């Protein structure tokens, strides 16, 4: 059974930093890319891709809005993907989810809330 569990969200002031973690189980972790998405609370806001990383951790991709501020990494020995976020802005406020596409199906964690506010 595929499981993804996010942690590390919270309230932070603009310009601050947070580290989000996603711990996975139920599949051969190092074989699969993992993605971080976020969804803001404004009506109609869709879930958007923030960053992803390949199975070996050698290739990463970021949304333009977070390039240079966020870093995605993974530890395959611990089945964990981390999203380091710095220079946080109020517009980064959202629920952050990790995702894996496994056997043609998208799996999601429960999400972790990040709020950037003074």
């Amino acid at each position: 059974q595929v499981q993804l569990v996010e942690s590390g969200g919270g309230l932070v002031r603009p310009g601050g930093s947070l580290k989000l973690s996603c711990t996975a189980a139920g599949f051969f972790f190092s074989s699969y890319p993992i993605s971080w998405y976020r969804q803001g609370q404004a009506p109609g806001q869709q879930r958007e891709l923030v960053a992803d990383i390949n199975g070996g951790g050698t290739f990463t991709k970021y949304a333009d809005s977070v390039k240079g501020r966020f870093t995605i990494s993974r530890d395959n020995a611990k089945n964990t993907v981390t999203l380091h976020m710095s220079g946080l802005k109020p517009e980064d406020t959202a629920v952050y989810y990790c995702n894996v596409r496994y056997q043609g199906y998208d799996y999601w964690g429960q999400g972790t809330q990040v709020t950037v506010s003074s």
Side-chain angles (χ1 to χ4, degrees), residues 13-29:
R13 294 187 185 277
S17 300
L18 275 178
K19 183 180 81 171
L20 306 183
S21 295
C22 171
T23 301
F27 60 100
F28 195 67
F29 183 74

Side-chain angles (χ1 to χ4, degrees), residues 14-16 20 24 31 38 40 52 63 66 80 94 100 107 110-111 118:
L20 306 183
S31 292
R38 67 185 180 187
D52 50 31
V66 307
T80 299
V100 65
Y107 290 86
Q110 81 289 351
S118 54

